[in-house]
Amino acid sequence: MQAPHPAPRVLRAADRAAVAWKNGGGVTREIAAWPPGAGMDGFAWRVSLADVAGDGPFSAFPDADRTLTLAEGAGMDLTVAGAPRRVDERYAPQRFPGDVPTDCRLLDGPVVNFNVMYRRGTAPADTAVVRGSVAVSCAPGETLLVVPLEGAAVLAADGTATALGRYDAALARGPFTAVLDSPGRSAVVRLGDGGR
């Protein structure tokens, strides 16, 4: 009989502190990072929610890529390394380099972005937004992060159900397999550890 997986760690949205962006142009709430406690310059990967209240540049992160998912608001017109990029569809992950000049113009008021950053070539990250009843998993050496972006969700593994409110998170190290019941939309992020 297979041993049960360790229970996922639950990270409640209400416990997160708001921190100024690296460039001071907005506010971010870190959900999780690897290695634990890594600062803005030392992470292999970092997942956060960012409040964008005004136009201006994004912070630059050397050797990092990012996947940005619009969670609240009408969206943004971005200019990424001189190329226009419209982000106006909620729950649709968009990838772009984190170390090139990126400017933002809000379309109609503030937005909240679900943001996954990871070191290029060393800490892979895959972000999907799902709805309904979905099997989720990660392999040994990987981390799985589940964050409801719309409504609540339940993560069930080894006979134990974990209830998650909007923007709460469940964090599990692989090997891990569960069933996610998400009536609204939830982000499911599978992350490598960058060899650390």
Side-chain angles (χ1 to χ4, degrees), residues 89-108:
E89 181 183 351
R90 287 190 193 177
Y91 315 121
Q94 302 223 20
R95 291 176 180 247
F96 56 94
D99 53 0
V100 299
T102 300
D103 288 299
C104 164
R105 184 179 66 79
L106 296 172
L107 296 178
D108 186 17

PDB file of all heavy atoms in Angstrom, residues 89-108:
ATOM      1  N   GLU A  89      -7.983  39.926 -21.055  1.00  0.00           N
ATOM      2  CA  GLU A  89      -8.810  38.740 -20.827  1.00  0.00           C
ATOM      3  C   GLU A  89      -8.448  38.139 -19.470  1.00  0.00           C
ATOM      4  O   GLU A  89      -7.296  37.733 -19.254  1.00  0.00           O
ATOM      5  CB  GLU A  89      -8.597  37.707 -21.928  1.00  0.00           C
ATOM      6  CG  GLU A  89      -9.448  36.463 -21.768  1.00  0.00           C
ATOM      7  CD  GLU A  89      -9.172  35.411 -22.823  1.00  0.00           C
ATOM      8  OE1 GLU A  89      -8.439  35.696 -23.791  1.00  0.00           O
ATOM      9  OE2 GLU A  89      -9.681  34.282 -22.662  1.00  0.00           O
ATOM     10  N   ARG A  90      -9.415  38.089 -18.569  1.00  0.00           N
ATOM     11  CA  ARG A  90      -9.150  37.517 -17.255  1.00  0.00           C
ATOM     12  C   ARG A  90      -8.881  36.021 -17.359  1.00  0.00           C
ATOM     13  O   ARG A  90      -9.446  35.321 -18.198  1.00  0.00           O
ATOM     14  CB  ARG A  90     -10.337  37.742 -16.315  1.00  0.00           C
ATOM     15  CG  ARG A  90     -10.471  39.171 -15.857  1.00  0.00           C
ATOM     16  CD  ARG A  90     -11.495  39.284 -14.760  1.00  0.00           C
ATOM     17  NE  ARG A  90     -11.845  40.687 -14.532  1.00  0.00           N
ATOM     18  CZ  ARG A  90     -12.751  41.089 -13.669  1.00  0.00           C
ATOM     19  NH1 ARG A  90     -13.410  40.213 -12.938  1.00  0.00           N
ATOM     20  NH2 ARG A  90     -13.006  42.368 -13.518  1.00  0.00           N
ATOM     21  N   TYR A  91      -8.022  35.558 -16.462  1.00  0.00           N
ATOM     22  CA  TYR A  91      -7.732  34.131 -16.270  1.00  0.00           C
ATOM     23  C   TYR A  91      -7.035  33.504 -17.479  1.00  0.00           C
ATOM     24  O   TYR A  91      -7.078  32.289 -17.653  1.00  0.00           O
ATOM     25  CB  TYR A  91      -9.008  33.353 -15.926  1.00  0.00           C
ATOM     26  CG  TYR A  91      -9.867  34.048 -14.902  1.00  0.00           C
ATOM     27  CD1 TYR A  91     -11.176  34.411 -15.187  1.00  0.00           C
ATOM     28  CD2 TYR A  91      -9.368  34.378 -13.645  1.00  0.00           C
ATOM     29  CE1 TYR A  91     -11.969  35.063 -14.254  1.00  0.00           C
ATOM     30  CE2 TYR A  91     -10.144  35.034 -12.697  1.00  0.00           C
ATOM     31  CZ  TYR A  91     -11.448  35.381 -13.020  1.00  0.00           C
ATOM     32  OH  TYR A  91     -12.228  36.031 -12.094  1.00  0.00           O
ATOM     33  N   ALA A  92      -6.380  34.309 -18.301  1.00  0.00           N
ATOM     34  CA  ALA A  92      -5.639  33.806 -19.460  1.00  0.00           C
ATOM     35  C   ALA A  92      -4.153  34.082 -19.248  1.00  0.00           C
ATOM     36  O   ALA A  92      -3.695  35.221 -19.417  1.00  0.00           O
ATOM     37  CB  ALA A  92      -6.127  34.483 -20.739  1.00  0.00           C
ATOM     38  N   PRO A  93      -3.355  33.089 -18.820  1.00  0.00           N
ATOM     39  CA  PRO A  93      -1.934  33.325 -18.537  1.00  0.00           C
ATOM     40  C   PRO A  93      -1.180  33.833 -19.765  1.00  0.00           C
ATOM     41  O   PRO A  93      -1.390  33.349 -20.880  1.00  0.00           O
ATOM     42  CB  PRO A  93      -1.424  31.936 -18.120  1.00  0.00           C
ATOM     43  CG  PRO A  93      -2.651  31.202 -17.653  1.00  0.00           C
ATOM     44  CD  PRO A  93      -3.760  31.702 -18.517  1.00  0.00           C
ATOM     45  N   GLN A  94      -0.306  34.829 -19.525  1.00  0.00           N
ATOM     46  CA  GLN A  94       0.516  35.403 -20.579  1.00  0.00           C
ATOM     47  C   GLN A  94       1.970  35.370 -20.136  1.00  0.00           C
ATOM     48  O   GLN A  94       2.301  35.846 -19.050  1.00  0.00           O
ATOM     49  CB  GLN A  94       0.092  36.848 -20.859  1.00  0.00           C
ATOM     50  CG  GLN A  94      -1.357  36.970 -21.262  1.00  0.00           C
ATOM     51  CD  GLN A  94      -1.538  37.927 -22.430  1.00  0.00           C
ATOM     52  OE1 GLN A  94      -0.603  38.222 -23.174  1.00  0.00           O
ATOM     53  NE2 GLN A  94      -2.746  38.413 -22.591  1.00  0.00           N
ATOM     54  N   ARG A  95       2.818  34.832 -20.998  1.00  0.00           N
ATOM     55  CA  ARG A  95       4.253  34.728 -20.680  1.00  0.00           C
ATOM     56  C   ARG A  95       5.022  35.842 -21.371  1.00  0.00           C
ATOM     57  O   ARG A  95       4.749  36.174 -22.518  1.00  0.00           O
ATOM     58  CB  ARG A  95       4.820  33.393 -21.187  1.00  0.00           C
ATOM     59  CG  ARG A  95       4.333  32.172 -20.461  1.00  0.00           C
ATOM     60  CD  ARG A  95       4.916  30.935 -21.154  1.00  0.00           C
ATOM     61  NE  ARG A  95       4.484  29.734 -20.492  1.00  0.00           N
ATOM     62  CZ  ARG A  95       5.283  28.906 -19.824  1.00  0.00           C
ATOM     63  NH1 ARG A  95       6.567  29.180 -19.726  1.00  0.00           N
ATOM     64  NH2 ARG A  95       4.807  27.819 -19.270  1.00  0.00           N
ATOM     65  N   PHE A  96       6.015  36.374 -20.667  1.00  0.00           N
ATOM     66  CA  PHE A  96       6.936  37.315 -21.297  1.00  0.00           C
ATOM     67  C   PHE A  96       8.191  37.440 -20.432  1.00  0.00           C
ATOM     68  O   PHE A  96       8.186  37.071 -19.260  1.00  0.00           O
ATOM     69  CB  PHE A  96       6.290  38.677 -21.563  1.00  0.00           C
ATOM     70  CG  PHE A  96       5.701  39.377 -20.369  1.00  0.00           C
ATOM     71  CD1 PHE A  96       6.444  40.293 -19.652  1.00  0.00           C
ATOM     72  CD2 PHE A  96       4.394  39.120 -19.981  1.00  0.00           C
ATOM     73  CE1 PHE A  96       5.892  40.953 -18.563  1.00  0.00           C
ATOM     74  CE2 PHE A  96       3.832  39.775 -18.903  1.00  0.00           C
ATOM     75  CZ  PHE A  96       4.590  40.695 -18.192  1.00  0.00           C
ATOM     76  N   PRO A  97       9.293  37.940 -21.012  1.00  0.00           N
ATOM     77  CA  PRO A  97      10.533  38.065 -20.250  1.00  0.00           C
ATOM     78  C   PRO A  97      10.369  39.048 -19.100  1.00  0.00           C
ATOM     79  O   PRO A  97       9.711  40.082 -19.241  1.00  0.00           O
ATOM     80  CB  PRO A  97      11.541  38.584 -21.270  1.00  0.00           C
ATOM     81  CG  PRO A  97      10.961  38.276 -22.611  1.00  0.00           C
ATOM     82  CD  PRO A  97       9.480  38.325 -22.425  1.00  0.00           C
ATOM     83  N   GLY A  98      10.994  38.713 -17.969  1.00  0.00           N
ATOM     84  CA  GLY A  98      10.921  39.589 -16.805  1.00  0.00           C
ATOM     85  C   GLY A  98      12.062  40.571 -16.708  1.00  0.00           C
ATOM     86  O   GLY A  98      12.092  41.398 -15.789  1.00  0.00           O
ATOM     87  N   ASP A  99      13.012  40.490 -17.663  1.00  0.00           N
ATOM     88  CA  ASP A  99      14.200  41.330 -17.560  1.00  0.00           C
ATOM     89  C   ASP A  99      14.319  42.323 -18.715  1.00  0.00           C
ATOM     90  O   ASP A  99      15.386  42.886 -18.947  1.00  0.00           O
ATOM     91  CB  ASP A  99      15.458  40.469 -17.474  1.00  0.00           C
ATOM     92  CG  ASP A  99      15.573  39.449 -18.611  1.00  0.00           C
ATOM     93  OD1 ASP A  99      14.666  39.405 -19.475  1.00  0.00           O
ATOM     94  OD2 ASP A  99      16.556  38.697 -18.620  1.00  0.00           O
ATOM     95  N   VAL A 100      13.217  42.550 -19.432  1.00  0.00           N
ATOM     96  CA  VAL A 100      13.232  43.564 -20.488  1.00  0.00           C
ATOM     97  C   VAL A 100      12.338  44.725 -20.058  1.00  0.00           C
ATOM     98  O   VAL A 100      11.437  44.550 -19.232  1.00  0.00           O
ATOM     99  CB  VAL A 100      12.749  42.981 -21.839  1.00  0.00           C
ATOM    100  CG1 VAL A 100      13.669  41.859 -22.288  1.00  0.00           C
ATOM    101  CG2 VAL A 100      11.305  42.519 -21.762  1.00  0.00           C
ATOM    102  N   PRO A 101      12.568  45.935 -20.593  1.00  0.00           N
ATOM    103  CA  PRO A 101      11.728  47.065 -20.205  1.00  0.00           C
ATOM    104  C   PRO A 101      10.253  46.777 -20.522  1.00  0.00           C
ATOM    105  O   PRO A 101       9.913  46.391 -21.640  1.00  0.00           O
ATOM    106  CB  PRO A 101      12.269  48.214 -21.057  1.00  0.00           C
ATOM    107  CG  PRO A 101      13.670  47.825 -21.384  1.00  0.00           C
ATOM    108  CD  PRO A 101      13.656  46.334 -21.509  1.00  0.00           C
ATOM    109  N   THR A 102       9.410  46.920 -19.502  1.00  0.00           N
ATOM    110  CA  THR A 102       7.979  46.665 -19.649  1.00  0.00           C
ATOM    111  C   THR A 102       7.217  47.830 -19.032  1.00  0.00           C
ATOM    112  O   THR A 102       7.375  48.103 -17.841  1.00  0.00           O
ATOM    113  CB  THR A 102       7.580  45.340 -18.975  1.00  0.00           C
ATOM    114  OG1 THR A 102       8.311  44.267 -19.578  1.00  0.00           O
ATOM    115  CG2 THR A 102       6.088  45.078 -19.122  1.00  0.00           C
ATOM    116  N   ASP A 103       6.423  48.493 -19.843  1.00  0.00           N
ATOM    117  CA  ASP A 103       5.609  49.612 -19.375  1.00  0.00           C
ATOM    118  C   ASP A 103       4.136  49.222 -19.432  1.00  0.00           C
ATOM    119  O   ASP A 103       3.716  48.448 -20.296  1.00  0.00           O
ATOM    120  CB  ASP A 103       5.859  50.859 -20.231  1.00  0.00           C
ATOM    121  CG  ASP A 103       7.213  51.465 -19.959  1.00  0.00           C
ATOM    122  OD1 ASP A 103       7.464  51.866 -18.803  1.00  0.00           O
ATOM    123  OD2 ASP A 103       8.033  51.525 -20.893  1.00  0.00           O
ATOM    124  N   CYS A 104       3.360  49.792 -18.513  1.00  0.00           N
ATOM    125  CA  CYS A 104       1.960  49.432 -18.348  1.00  0.00           C
ATOM    126  C   CYS A 104       1.083  50.678 -18.433  1.00  0.00           C
ATOM    127  O   CYS A 104       1.389  51.697 -17.829  1.00  0.00           O
ATOM    128  CB  CYS A 104       1.781  48.750 -16.983  1.00  0.00           C
ATOM    129  SG  CYS A 104       0.094  48.648 -16.405  1.00  0.00           S
ATOM    130  N   ARG A 105      -0.023  50.551 -19.194  1.00  0.00           N
ATOM    131  CA  ARG A 105      -1.070  51.571 -19.185  1.00  0.00           C
ATOM    132  C   ARG A 105      -2.381  50.867 -18.873  1.00  0.00           C
ATOM    133  O   ARG A 105      -2.783  49.945 -19.585  1.00  0.00           O
ATOM    134  CB  ARG A 105      -1.165  52.283 -20.534  1.00  0.00           C
ATOM    135  CG  ARG A 105      -2.191  53.430 -20.527  1.00  0.00           C
ATOM    136  CD  ARG A 105      -2.257  54.133 -21.874  1.00  0.00           C
ATOM    137  NE  ARG A 105      -2.764  53.269 -22.926  1.00  0.00           N
ATOM    138  CZ  ARG A 105      -4.058  52.990 -23.118  1.00  0.00           C
ATOM    139  NH1 ARG A 105      -4.983  53.482 -22.311  1.00  0.00           N
ATOM    140  NH2 ARG A 105      -4.422  52.208 -24.116  1.00  0.00           N
ATOM    141  N   LEU A 106      -3.022  51.265 -17.787  1.00  0.00           N
ATOM    142  CA  LEU A 106      -4.273  50.636 -17.389  1.00  0.00           C
ATOM    143  C   LEU A 106      -5.388  51.011 -18.365  1.00  0.00           C
ATOM    144  O   LEU A 106      -5.478  52.153 -18.811  1.00  0.00           O
ATOM    145  CB  LEU A 106      -4.652  51.059 -15.972  1.00  0.00           C
ATOM    146  CG  LEU A 106      -3.689  50.610 -14.873  1.00  0.00           C
ATOM    147  CD1 LEU A 106      -4.058  51.249 -13.538  1.00  0.00           C
ATOM    148  CD2 LEU A 106      -3.671  49.092 -14.752  1.00  0.00           C
ATOM    149  N   LEU A 107      -6.244  50.040 -18.683  1.00  0.00           N
ATOM    150  CA  LEU A 107      -7.329  50.283 -19.630  1.00  0.00           C
ATOM    151  C   LEU A 107      -8.486  51.030 -18.989  1.00  0.00           C
ATOM    152  O   LEU A 107      -9.083  51.914 -19.608  1.00  0.00           O
ATOM    153  CB  LEU A 107      -7.825  48.959 -20.211  1.00  0.00           C
ATOM    154  CG  LEU A 107      -6.812  48.180 -21.044  1.00  0.00           C
ATOM    155  CD1 LEU A 107      -7.422  46.873 -21.523  1.00  0.00           C
ATOM    156  CD2 LEU A 107      -6.325  48.999 -22.232  1.00  0.00           C
ATOM    157  N   ASP A 108      -8.841  50.648 -17.751  1.00  0.00           N
ATOM    158  CA  ASP A 108      -9.980  51.289 -17.091  1.00  0.00           C
ATOM    159  C   ASP A 108      -9.920  51.006 -15.594  1.00  0.00           C
ATOM    160  O   ASP A 108     -10.694  50.213 -15.072  1.00  0.00           O
ATOM    161  CB  ASP A 108     -11.298  50.770 -17.680  1.00  0.00           C
ATOM    162  CG  ASP A 108     -12.516  51.495 -17.129  1.00  0.00           C
ATOM    163  OD1 ASP A 108     -12.348  52.590 -16.542  1.00  0.00           O
ATOM    164  OD2 ASP A 108     -13.635  50.961 -17.270  1.00  0.00           O
TER     165      ASP A 108
END
